[in-house]
Amino acid sequence: MKKTIFSKYDKKQIAELEPEVFGGRIVVVVSESEARRAVSYLLTQSILGVDTETRPSFRKGPMNKVSLLQVSSHDICFLFRLNHTGISSSVRRLLEDTTVPKIGLSWHDDLLQLHRLGEFETGLFIDLQDHVREIGIQDLSLQKLYANLFGRKISKRQRLSNWEADILSDKQKAYAATDAWSCIRLYEELQRLKETGDYELVIVEDVQDNLLKER
């Protein structure tokens, strides 16, 4: 039976879905020695998921700099606390690597913010937003994409929490790890669907689109 996917996913349905949470090991990295060991492990993997977090600013003005870089394999996620380490030599080695594909979402924006912390040559990164339209999906948010392809909900409740807190809470760590890990799952599923054609696309039109057609 082919998987049913939608060109646009109804956000109202997401609240009814079961939550998805990364179930692997989470390691917080706060020093260069820890970063060196983490990067050595990560660069032995076949694929990685990436994301960043920034302490929110509730006032007008310049954005805060990136606080956290989360990089996940299938079963371990490392949380690099860049507000402690900056773009250290090991973090730079990871960002410049051209051998392991690193999958992100809206990653072009993340890279711009990471470059504010330090100079590095951009390595092998793949942005999911560059690929979802190949199978007819128009949504670009992580939450909608994951609900569409897997029927589960990724919570965004911790997004506006303090990512520069002295100690990250368990909820923050789980949120950050889930976002990075889910990019791997989405990419692998998108590749499977493109290769096999094992899906049926339901075209969903906005009310606004229908009104324009009726004029």
Side-chain angles (χ1 to χ4, degrees):
M1 184 175 179
K2 291 188 175 183
K3 171 178 281 192
T4 299
I5 59 175
F6 302 89
S7 60
K8 298 178 182 179
Y9 196 86
D10 186 354
K11 188 174 182 179
K12 295 177 183 177
Q13 295 182 16
I14 295 177
E16 302 172 4
L17 300 177
E18 290 295 316
E20 183 73 280
V21 180
F22 175 63
R25 182 183 173 200
I26 302 174
V27 180
V28 179
V29 176
V30 296
S31 69
E32 169 59 8
S33 60
E34 293 172 344
R36 190 181 310 115
R37 292 192 293 271
V39 171
S40 294
Y41 164 80
L42 288 167
L43 294 185
T44 66
Q45 302 303 296
S46 60
I47 190 171
L48 298 171
V50 293
D51 195 20
T52 67
E53 304 298 339
T54 301
R55 180 171 64 86
S57 176
F58 300 103
R59 298 178 181 178
K60 290 184 179 180
M63 284 182 58
N64 292 316
K65 292 184 178 180
V66 176
S67 309
L68 191 74
L69 168 67
Q70 54 264 48
V71 186
S72 183
S73 66
H74 287 97
D75 49 15
I76 303 179
C77 185
F78 292 90
L79 308 182
F80 295 85
R81 301 209 65 186
L82 299 186
N83 57 311
H84 290 281
T85 67
I87 304 294
S88 68
S89 59
S90 295
V91 172
R92 183 175 292 105
R93 178 188 171 206
L94 176 67
L95 294 173
E96 293 185 342
D97 170 72
T98 59
T99 62
V100 182
K102 302 162 200 69
I103 317 301
L105 185 74
S106 188
W107 187 247
H108 304 295
D109 297 332
D110 291 70
L111 280 173
L112 288 174
Q113 296 307 313
L114 286 168
H115 277 292
R116 292 179 61 202
L117 291 178
E119 290 302 315
F120 59 90
E121 296 293 328
T122 302
L124 177 55
F125 291 96
I126 296 172
D127 195 321
L128 288 168
Q129 290 187 344
D130 295 335
H131 293 271
V132 293
R133 287 195 173 97
E134 294 174 5
I135 63 171
I137 295 177
Q138 298 180 40
D139 293 321
L140 297 177
S141 76
L142 180 69
Q143 195 177 54
K144 284 188 176 182
L145 288 174
Y146 206 87
N148 197 351
L149 292 180
F150 297 110
R152 295 179 70 85
K153 173 177 63 179
I154 291 182
S155 172
K156 308 304 290 183
R157 289 183 180 179
Q158 296 298 313
R159 184 172 67 88
L160 297 179
S161 60
N162 181 11
W163 294 101
E164 294 183 11
D166 290 340
I167 298 176
L168 297 178
S169 70
D170 289 342
K171 289 182 179 180
Q172 283 179 305
K173 289 187 282 189
Y175 169 90
T178 301
D179 273 9
W181 165 77
S182 63
C183 288
I184 298 176
R185 292 209 68 205
L186 285 168
Y187 180 75
E188 291 180 336
E189 182 65 0
L190 284 170
Q191 293 301 105
R192 185 187 74 81
L193 294 177
K194 284 192 293 184
E195 290 171 5
T196 64
D198 186 27
Y199 66 94
E200 292 182 355
L201 178 68
V202 177
I203 305 298
V204 179
E205 295 184 343
D206 289 335
V207 173
Q208 184 72 20
D209 294 338
N210 290 329
L211 289 174
L212 289 172
K213 289 178 180 179
E214 291 171 1
R215 289 180 181 177

